[in-house]
Amino acid sequence: MRLPFPEITQQTIDKEIKQAVIAGIDYWAFVAYGSADPMSRALKVFRESPIKNEISYCIFTEFPRWGSHDKPSPLIDEHVKLMGDSNYLKVAGGRPLYFLGFIHVADVEKRWGGIENLRAQIEQFRARVKAAGHGDPYLVLTGDKKLLNEQGAFLTADAVSSYAGVYGSVRGSYADLTRGAERDWNELAKSRLPVIPTVMTGWDRRPRIERPVPWEAKQRPGVGMENFFIAPTGAELSDHLHRSIEWRAAQPGEMKSPAILIYAWNENDEGGWLVPTLPCKTERLEALRKVLKDPQSKQRPNLC
């Protein structure tokens, strides 16, 4: 059975902007694809929204999409241009926030011929952003924790983080999931760089396990269906978010990051989402609002 998915429309994106703002979300981090890629349609429609300035955005780039030492990707220039948008997120005194994610040792060697070449490319990226008049980018790296802890400072990263706090064949309660995510915050802090803590809204990849997506070639249908975490209650999600805010606030001044990342707005087939689901399930956004905007409110906001 194939499920039809509705087209991404201006009306849909505008509604989601309003939902995010009501919940207290300051920005979206869009996973980056080329401007001609169909996966970029949501970003395109978002940038055309008449209410786009109600919420900021930044880019979260998969490291392989930067290309290689011999052939850097034109995507880099696209991202430099995006930083000129009026609602591109600026942090730490006007610096555009940029995530370079999923960095793995094997890719650094294969694509860039070593850590020194990647450092040179990062320095070139910074220079291009500055030359375009957007300031010094606040660069956040994610990927292999050992690499980040040992080489993050050498790569001139401003902070480290993670896309999601769980990988591999794991399962348990939501409390188990949050313990793992919060353990990651402390592991990343060993890099001696600021850490943008990642809040997990869930992790349940059974839709992708039952029907693997084309880009996960190693996944076999049905293999690993037992590996998922129980979905959170609203109170559990609120508590996890609150702990992330407290953890960040407790860091020394020079180690305090300028943001928190929440996984995710709409990774629905991985179990991590905030966007309301049919018919009008808004518990996750309500859980955020209780922490970010109105902790004393007993009235449910109109999110549908």
Side-chain angles (χ1 to χ4, degrees):
M1 176 182 177
R2 291 184 177 273
L3 296 176
F5 286 87
E7 181 185 359
I8 298 172
T9 65
Q10 196 68 68
Q11 182 180 15
T12 299
I13 292 294
D14 291 353
K15 184 175 183 179
E16 291 187 17
I17 290 172
K18 293 176 182 178
Q19 290 167 333
V21 171
I22 291 172
I25 294 172
D26 295 315
Y27 75 101
W28 279 329
F30 281 85
V31 176
Y33 304 90
S35 58
D37 193 305
M39 295 288 281
S40 292
R41 176 158 175 76
L43 177 57
K44 178 180 183 296
V45 177
F46 169 73
R47 294 181 68 219
E48 294 171 349
S49 171
I51 60 170
K52 64 183 180 181
N53 285 321
E54 292 188 16
I55 188 170
S56 298
Y57 85 99
C58 70
I59 292 298
F60 195 120
T61 310
E62 296 171 316
F63 172 61
R65 294 184 183 275
W66 257 29
S68 65
H69 181 248
D70 297 327
K71 192 177 181 180
S73 171
L75 190 67
I76 298 173
D77 286 327
E78 289 186 16
H79 292 172
V80 173
K81 292 178 181 177
L82 290 177
M83 291 179 184
D85 283 359
S86 59
N87 63 334
Y88 195 94
L89 180 61
K90 304 293 177 61
V91 298
R95 302 174 64 186
L97 182 64
Y98 187 87
F99 289 86
L100 182 60
F102 307 105
I103 301 175
H104 302 293
V105 174
D107 276 341
V108 172
E109 293 298 327
K110 178 180 178 181
R111 292 176 174 274
W112 294 94
I115 200 77
E116 293 82 5
N117 288 337
L118 177 56
R119 175 190 168 106
Q121 178 59 41
I122 287 174
E123 289 302 305
Q124 289 180 32
F125 174 70
R126 286 191 184 279
R128 287 154 86 173
V129 176
K130 291 177 183 177
H134 307 321
D136 183 13
Y138 192 96
L139 180 67
V140 185
L141 303 183
T142 84
D144 290 341
K145 291 184 181 63
K146 187 174 186 296
L147 175 68
L148 298 182
N149 288 344
E150 294 178 357
Q151 302 291 346
F154 176 78
L155 290 171
T156 68
D158 295 291
V160 293
S161 186
S162 61
Y163 182 71
V166 173
Y167 301 96
S169 299
V170 286
R171 59 184 178 270
S173 66
Y174 181 70
D176 294 326
L177 175 62
T178 59
R179 275 192 291 269
E182 293 168 26
R183 185 168 56 247
D184 277 355
W185 306 342
N186 292 308
E187 284 294 313
L188 287 167
K190 294 177 182 178
S191 67
R192 298 187 179 180
L193 290 169
V195 176
I196 292 183
T198 302
V199 173
M200 295 296 294
T201 63
W203 185 258
D204 183 351
R205 301 181 75 259
R206 284 180 291 177
R208 286 194 180 192
I209 293 172
E210 184 177 16
R211 296 181 182 275
V213 291
W215 56 90
E216 293 181 0
K218 293 183 179 180
Q219 176 65 56
R220 295 292 176 262
V223 177
M225 287 290 285
E226 71 280 9
N227 296 320
F228 66 95
F229 287 92
I230 302 298
T233 64
E236 287 177 321
L237 180 54
S238 291
D239 288 345
H240 180 38
L241 174 60
H242 184 70
R243 289 194 298 273
S244 76
I245 295 171
E246 289 188 326
W247 186 90
R248 175 193 167 276
Q251 304 310 300
E254 70 280 4
M255 295 288 287
K256 202 184 306 294
S257 68
I260 289 171
L261 186 66
I262 301 178
Y263 171 89
W265 178 254
N266 59 359
E267 289 280 25
N268 297 65
D269 65 347
E270 290 187 344
W273 74 86
L274 293 170
V275 64
T277 56
L278 295 174
C280 180
K281 295 183 179 180
T282 63
E283 291 85 356
R284 296 188 180 191
L285 286 182
E286 292 174 45
L288 262 64
R289 181 177 171 83
K290 288 179 181 177
V291 176
L292 300 175
K293 295 199 77 169
D294 196 356
Q296 304 302 321
S297 176
K298 303 297 182 182
Q299 186 176 7
R300 294 183 65 179
N302 181 17
L303 286 162
C304 288

